Amino acid sequence: MVSNSPRSRRKPAPLDAQRLEDIALSYVARFSTSTGKLRDYLARKVRERGWDGAGEPNLNAIVERFADKGYVDDAAWAQSRRDGLLQRGYGPRRVAQDLDAAGISAELHAGLSPDEAGIRRAAVKLATRRRFGPWSRVATDPAIREKQIAAIVRAGHRFDIARAVVEAHSVAAAEQWAAEAEEDDFL
C-alpha cells in the first residue's frame, strides 16, 4: 500500500530545458495568462524543483517564443481581465494595479483605461452587489455611508464616484446618473 504521508512523497526531478518547455506548454494550455505571469510561474517552478540543464534557464526565450506563436497574448488577456474586473464592480485604479501585477506594460494600460460611463456602471454594479446606498435594505446613518464610500474607494473608484453612488436618493437616480455618462459619450 502506498502512503500519502509527506515522508513517502518523492521529490520531483530537477528541470531541464525540455521539461521546462513542457511545463510552460501545459500551463498555457490550461490557463489564459500574460507573459509576466508565465515568466513568474516558470521561475517559481525552477526555484521549487531546481535546474539540471546546462547553464541557466532562459525563461525569457520560452516566454517570447510562446508569445510569437500566439499562445500568450498580453493585449487580449489584459482586455479580458479589465472587462471581468469592471463587471465585478472594481474601479480603474484597482484594474491598473491588477494589470501591473500581471506584468502588463504601461503602454497597454493606457489603451485599456475605461471611459467615464464604464467607471460609473462598475460603481453601480459594486453598490448593487454589496447593497450600498439606495440598494441597502435598511436606512443608513452617516457612519455607515462613510464606510460604504470607503469600501467603494478601496475597490478602485474615485471619491466623487463613490459618494455619488452611495448618496443617490433611489436606485433609479443612481442608474440615471450612470446613464448620463453614456449619453455624454455619444454627443
Side-chain angles (χ1 to χ4, degrees):
M1 180 184 333
V2 176
S3 173
N4 285 335
S5 71
R7 287 184 233 173
S8 67
R9 290 189 187 160
R10 298 171 79 195
K11 185 176 179 183
L15 297 172
D16 59 15
Q18 184 58 48
R19 285 186 189 142
L20 189 61
E21 181 96 16
D22 292 345
I23 286 174
L25 189 59
S26 175
Y27 184 75
V28 298
R30 289 176 47 206
F31 304 105
S32 175
T33 190
S34 68
T35 55
K37 288 179 71 127
L38 177 60
R39 187 177 297 107
D40 292 346
Y41 174 76
L42 295 176
R44 181 172 54 96
K45 287 300 178 184
V46 169
R47 262 193 328 273
E48 290 173 354
R49 295 181 58 177
W51 182 250
D52 195 26
E56 290 293 315
N58 193 351
L59 305 179
N60 290 332
I62 294 172
V63 171
E64 287 174 17
R65 190 170 49 253
F66 278 33
D68 290 342
K69 290 181 179 181
Y71 298 161
V72 181
D73 183 358
D74 279 355
W77 184 86
Q79 182 156 358
S80 173
R81 184 69 177 167
R82 180 207 61 182
D83 292 346
L85 289 171
L86 288 174
Q87 278 290 76
R88 291 183 3 221
Y90 290 103
R93 190 181 70 250
R94 175 64 173 79
V95 170
Q97 289 171 345
D98 193 72
L99 297 179
D100 276 340
I104 301 299
S105 69
E107 296 82 37
L108 202 50
H109 276 252
L112 293 174
S113 296
D115 59 354
E116 186 68 18
I119 293 169
R120 287 183 180 193
R121 279 193 309 270
V124 167
K125 180 73 125 179
L126 180 66
T128 303
R129 187 169 49 97
R130 300 276 308 267
R131 298 185 191 275
F132 288 164
W135 288 273
S136 179
R137 291 185 180 155
V138 295
T140 56
D141 64 4
I144 291 174
R145 278 197 309 273
E146 286 179 18
K147 288 182 180 185
Q148 292 174 349
I149 290 170
I152 294 174
V153 169
R154 282 192 307 272
H157 292 283
R158 297 186 322 255
F159 179 78
D160 62 322
I161 297 284
R163 186 172 180 203
V165 170
V166 171
E167 292 183 353
H169 298 295
S170 67
V171 171
E175 290 172 349
Q176 176 61 33
W177 170 79
E180 286 172 4
E182 290 178 29
E183 292 170 6
D184 291 344
D185 287 345
F186 289 121
L187 297 178

